Structures are given as C-alpha cells and as structure tokens.
Amino acid sequence: MDDYEHIDLDDIDFPPGEHTVERLALLTLEEAHDLLQLLQAVAQQDGPVSPEADRLAREIAARIPSEN
C-alpha cells in the first residue's frame, strides 16, 4: 500500500540504540492538523521545498482523521 516496500532495512545503517534513547513525542491530533495546514501552505508556494511539502502533506492527510 505504501511506497516503502523497496527499502531493505538490512541496508540501512541505523545508529546504535544507546544513541537513540531520546525520541520525539508523538504528535497530538491538533498538532498533526497544525502541521498539515503548514505543509499545505508551503506546498502552494513556488519554491524548491513545495514539492516535498506537498508530498508530506498528502502522507499526513492520509494517516490522520479529518478535523470535522
């Protein structure tokens, strides 16, 4: 379903566990919607980051429930 089937996790050099003990907290639903709105605004602008912002906005929108 996603575009990540082609990635072989054995080929990725992950950092050792002791270097990754501090992780970011999960986003709240409200924070996810705020981030989505920001990405959508950036995606509408002309510039080098707009295609990536558009891609990320679509990825996030597919994973979170709508605000309504």
Side-chain angles (χ1 to χ4, degrees), residues 5 24 27 36 42:
E5 288 92 14
L24 293 175
L27 295 176
L36 179 57
V42 171

Side-chain angles (χ1 to χ4, degrees), residues 10-37:
D10 293 330
D11 289 340
I12 299 174
D13 187 23
F14 291 105
E18 64 269 8
H19 297 293
T20 59
V21 292
E22 188 174 333
R23 299 271 182 172
L24 293 175
L26 295 176
L27 295 176
T28 65
L29 185 56
E30 182 180 353
E31 290 169 332
H33 283 290
D34 290 346
L35 178 58
L36 179 57
Q37 290 172 355

